[in-house]
Amino acid sequence: MKKTKKTNIYKSAAQVTVFSTVEKLLSFIYRIILSRSIGAEGLGIYQICLSVFSVFLTAASSGIPVTVSRLIAKNTATGNSQGKHAVVTAGVLCTLMFTVPAALVLFLARDLYLFLFPDRECATIFLFLLPGLIITSVYAIMRGSFWGNKQFLPYSIIELAENAVMVACGCVLISFAGTAKGGARAAIIAVLISYIFSFCASVGWYLIKGGKFVNPKSQLKPLMKASLPITAMRTSTSLLNSCVAMFLPALLSKACGYTSSEALTLYGTVLGMSVPMLFIPNSVIGSIAVVVAPEMSENFYAKRTELLRRDIERTVKSSVLIATVLIPIMFTLGKDLGVLFYNSELSGTVMSRFSFMMLPMCISMITTTVLNSLNFEVRTLIYFFIGAIAMIGMIFGFTHLLGINAYMVGLSLSFLITAVLNLRLLKKNCPDINYLGYLLRSIIICGVCCLFGTLLSNLFDGILPRLWKIVVCGGIVGVFALVAFYGMEMVTARPIKKLFSRASTN
């Protein structure tokens, strides 16, 4: 029974990871298309609109889907099937109580928040997203129900299909745009269309598979109590990103002497091109978190201490492995990737220079998910604020010296602080987990691989075209890192063998 359950986790994680990787690859290609079609300025406007929208979307539903998933796992552990339907209904009710009034107020009082945007036309583009606030927040609750019920295949298919709809519609619409702002408007409309699709698909699947909307009274209080700290943390993250989108271009103009257009272009280059590349590991980490979090919650409420400890340890080590395999590739080939994909040497330089940020970022992300699964939502919220304060201090204190790099240093520092605090809290509450030795050895392997990759990259310069250099050099460095991990017995092929052996018997 335990072997079957463990194999199902591997299979689900692999399944979600494959779909998520394809989805992120599609998004990556789309961002390249956007950067080349509407330029860095249009991409900057697109990014600002999404950043402001994400604040309201996050406030509406970010903590609720995770909590819905956890409460469904709790009701599964206690055998309360009716409670699972009540959790979903409570989630939908809570999110609609916020999003419907919020969308109306934002539409009617749009002149009050013009200061959030560079100009009135940019604010008008933002209005196209308002209907999406309601429909995509409901989809988020459906997504949480998929996680809690371990229905990972429909979740993965809908996520990928939503992205495909956005890319297809976006490519068609931006082809008719004649200006950067017109292209940004077309891209935003494509986002709205994709939201409508995922809403219809997810609600339809939920009802087809026997889902119901019942009296939510019994689940409202526990849902609100558990979701508020998570919502506060994620809303603060979105608010922080929106504030950065609002004040960083102005700060660059004032502190570094850039014109408004130059500052916006610089912002679009770093935030719209470099940062998404550095966040690539999050797609894999997110896939692991989606699969493991309900399992951890179920083990926590069922008091399966040993299984819980094992899951935590393996999850943390997996995130470290993913980061330390990808860092040498990005460090070595960042500049080439920036030129090849975005025709921007600056974006590539930022990728390479701040590639090491991926390790604390991955650890911070996965440990926050783990701690939230164990009822430590308030502590993770406090840790987030500590990291955010450090980031803001770095931006305002050092932009005049470092320029746009002050943001990247602040972002890295924020991840480092939350990662250290999260690991400390995990160790305190689960003293038997062992991750420190694995982490230190991984850092050593990462450093060696970066040196090896740099030497290899210099060797291939002038010999291979840029595309082939990236493929060959990146593949060799990645394999070199995995072999090093395997040689030090820090990774095994057992999960893959179990996955394929299970698949062959089905």
Side-chain angles (χ1 to χ4, degrees):
M1 183 68 177
K2 286 183 179 179
K3 284 187 176 181
T4 302
K5 193 173 185 180
K6 203 180 296 181
T7 304
N8 286 338
I9 294 175
Y10 292 140
K11 185 176 181 179
S12 297
Q15 175 183 284
V16 174
T17 300
V18 169
F19 275 92
S20 179
T21 301
V22 175
E23 178 193 344
K24 297 301 180 185
L25 179 61
L26 198 59
S27 297
F28 173 64
I29 295 171
Y30 182 52
R31 191 165 287 270
I32 295 173
I33 294 171
L34 285 180
S35 67
R36 293 181 180 273
S37 300
I38 65 179
E41 184 179 357
L43 192 60
I45 295 170
Y46 174 75
Q47 195 74 31
I48 289 172
C49 290
L50 288 181
S51 296
V52 174
F53 176 74
S54 69
V55 174
F56 299 103
L57 180 60
T58 305
S61 60
S62 66
I64 300 178
V66 176
T67 309
V68 165
S69 170
R70 200 181 78 196
L71 291 179
I72 287 176
K74 179 180 179 181
N75 282 295
T76 299
T78 57
N80 183 6
S81 59
Q82 189 69 8
K84 295 196 290 185
H85 300 311
V87 167
V88 175
T89 308
V92 172
L93 180 62
C94 289
T95 195
L96 288 178
M97 285 172 60
F98 176 85
T99 55
V100 174
L104 289 172
V105 170
L106 287 170
F107 179 77
L108 296 174
R110 51 190 178 274
D111 290 338
L112 297 179
Y113 56 88
L114 279 175
F115 67 93
L116 296 174
F117 302 95
D119 53 46
R120 180 176 288 274
E121 189 172 352
C122 187
T124 302
I125 294 172
F126 169 76
L127 294 179
F128 286 99
L129 286 171
L130 288 184
L133 180 63
I134 300 171
I135 57 179
T136 201
S137 64
V138 175
Y139 165 58
I141 306 304
M142 297 296 105
R143 191 170 58 214
S145 74
F146 295 156
W147 297 342
N149 289 306
K150 301 177 185 177
Q151 297 175 350
F152 299 114
L153 183 58
Y155 153 72
S156 300
I157 292 173
I158 292 173
E159 286 281 297
L160 178 59
E162 176 190 312
N163 206 272
V165 169
M166 180 187 70
V167 172
C169 293
C171 289
V172 172
L173 292 174
I174 62 175
S175 66
F176 295 100
T179 64
K181 290 181 179 178
R185 182 189 300 111
I188 290 295
I189 293 173
V191 172
L192 175 61
I193 295 171
S194 70
Y195 287 162
I196 295 171
F197 167 82
S198 56
F199 166 80
C200 295
S202 61
V203 173
W205 180 265
Y206 175 74
L207 295 174
I208 289 171
K209 299 304 289 185
K212 303 175 186 176
F213 295 106
V214 299
N215 190 333
K217 185 177 179 180
S218 63
Q219 298 295 329
L220 278 172
K221 186 176 179 180
L223 179 71
M224 294 298 294
K225 182 180 178 181
S227 65
L228 281 176
I230 302 174
T231 299
M233 181 178 69
R234 297 189 178 183
T235 303
S236 299
T237 302
S238 295
L239 186 60
L240 180 62
N241 291 337
S242 295
C243 288
V244 169
M246 183 173 60
F247 69 70
L248 187 55
L251 188 61
L252 287 168
S253 296
K254 184 177 179 181
C256 304
Y258 294 109
T259 66
S260 177
S261 179
E262 288 172 340
L264 189 59
T265 299
L266 188 60
Y267 171 85
T269 299
V270 174
L271 275 294
M273 299 177 188
S274 303
V275 172
M277 288 286 289
L278 292 173
F279 275 49
I280 284 175
N282 283 4
S283 61
V284 183
I285 300 295
S287 301
I288 296 173
V290 163
V291 174
V292 175
E295 195 73 31
M296 286 184 182
S297 295
E298 194 172 323
N299 288 333
F300 176 74
Y301 288 113
K303 302 188 184 302
R304 303 177 191 129
T305 308
E306 180 58 27
L307 287 176
L308 180 62
R309 181 201 64 79
R310 194 179 306 161
D311 285 344
I312 293 174
E313 191 172 299
R314 287 175 176 172
T315 302
V316 172
K317 288 181 179 179
S318 296
S319 67
V320 172
L321 172 66
I322 290 164
T324 48
V325 169
L326 291 177
I327 286 172
I329 297 173
M330 190 65 71
F331 177 79
T332 302
L333 300 169
K335 292 181 181 179
D336 293 295
L337 290 168
V339 174
L340 178 67
F341 292 128
Y342 301 117
N343 197 27
S344 170
E345 189 172 337
L346 173 61
S347 68
T349 301
V350 172
M351 289 179 213
S352 179
R353 187 177 295 163
F354 292 96
S355 57
F356 299 101
M357 179 185 77
M358 289 193 284
L359 179 58
M361 177 184 71
C362 290
I363 295 174
S364 175
M365 180 180 178
I366 200 66
T367 52
T368 297
T369 300
V370 171
L371 289 168
N372 288 341
S373 300
L374 306 181
N375 279 342
F376 286 108
E377 297 94 346
V378 175
R379 295 292 288 275
T380 58
L381 175 62
I382 293 171
Y383 295 164
F384 162 78
F385 281 124
I386 295 172
I389 290 170
M391 175 181 170
I392 293 172
M394 180 61 65
I395 292 173
F396 279 101
F398 292 90
T399 295
H400 67 289
L401 296 174
L402 302 176
I404 192 69
N405 289 324
Y407 168 77
M408 296 301 300
V409 173
L411 185 62
S412 303
L413 181 62
S414 172
F415 283 132
L416 180 61
I417 289 171
T418 53
V420 170
L421 292 175
N422 283 353
L423 286 174
R424 180 175 173 271
L425 182 59
L426 265 180
K427 186 67 175 176
K428 181 179 178 181
N429 288 274
C430 303
D432 293 332
I433 64 170
N434 182 18
Y435 62 81
L436 187 58
Y438 189 94
L439 177 60
L440 292 176
R441 283 180 289 164
S442 297
I443 292 173
I444 293 171
I445 291 173
C446 183
V448 172
C449 290
C450 286
L451 178 61
F452 172 74
T454 301
L455 295 174
L456 194 64
S457 177
N458 292 337
L459 179 65
F460 286 150
D461 273 339
I463 298 176
L464 292 176
R466 179 170 279 114
L467 175 60
W468 283 107
K469 177 188 171 185
I470 291 171
V471 173
V472 175
C473 188
I476 294 174
V477 172
V479 170
F480 182 83
L482 289 173
V483 169
F485 273 96
Y486 186 81
M488 295 185 69
E489 298 182 347
M490 296 171 65
V491 65
T492 69
R494 194 178 305 126
I496 298 175
K497 289 178 181 177
K498 286 185 177 182
L499 178 62
F500 281 102
S501 65
R502 175 70 178 173
S504 64
T505 59
N506 289 340

